[in-house]
Amino acid sequence: MRQALFMSAEDVAARKGVSRNAIYQAERSEKEGSISLKQMDRLARSMGGKFVYAIVPDKPIEALKYEQALRNARTLSAQEKGFDGWPAEEQQDWIEDCAAQLLQDMPVDFWNAPAREAQ
């Protein structure tokens, strides 16, 4: 933001009440990923902005929950007697019904099954 505003490190330092070197250090820390959120907020405010911090899901929240419910349902299917011998369509129906029930109940251990790593 500083560069986009054509604001010098000295200008930001004066607004923030710190040295120019402190601004350069903060910028290095930002690049290294070691700057604090509080420090980022102060820097943003000193340049007339605001710092926004967010975790953004890769998919809609409902899709993430449904994928976890399906993983849990597949795990539970292994405990269902004779499941492997059922016709494929019945297996799929059971898994989908189980997933729907898990989503409705949201048991305390819902998120215990590990999520698959991104491919």
Side-chain angles (χ1 to χ4, degrees):
M1 182 170 164
R2 178 176 72 76
Q3 292 172 348
L5 291 170
F6 295 99
M7 190 179 281
S8 70
E10 291 85 0
D11 292 334
V12 177
R15 289 170 160 240
K16 192 170 183 259
V18 299
S19 71
R20 175 185 59 162
N21 286 340
I23 299 304
Y24 289 137
Q25 179 58 47
E27 290 175 348
R28 280 191 300 275
S29 294
E30 180 188 6
K31 286 179 185 174
E32 295 166 359
S34 61
I35 194 167
S36 72
L37 299 179
K38 189 175 191 177
Q39 193 174 10
M40 284 296 295
D41 184 58
R42 287 180 182 155
L43 281 170
R45 289 177 190 276
S46 70
M47 291 182 281
K50 65 181 176 180
F51 177 67
V52 179
Y53 179 82
I55 297 174
V56 180
D58 292 333
K59 300 175 184 176
I61 294 294
E62 291 305 315
L64 294 172
K65 288 168 43 179
Y66 184 67
E67 289 172 0
Q68 184 66 26
L70 284 175
R71 280 191 287 279
N72 290 346
R74 288 185 188 107
T75 298
L76 290 171
S77 72
Q79 300 169 13
E80 190 69 20
K81 188 171 183 148
F83 184 84
D84 290 338
W86 297 0
E89 186 176 302
E90 285 184 34
Q91 288 180 1
Q92 187 62 33
D93 287 346
W94 188 94
I95 287 171
E96 289 173 7
D97 289 346
C98 182
Q101 189 65 49
L102 288 166
L103 283 171
Q104 181 178 340
D105 297 346
M106 288 299 290
V108 295
D109 62 347
F110 183 81
W111 292 102
N112 288 359
R116 291 188 186 151
E117 293 296 320
Q119 304 282 334

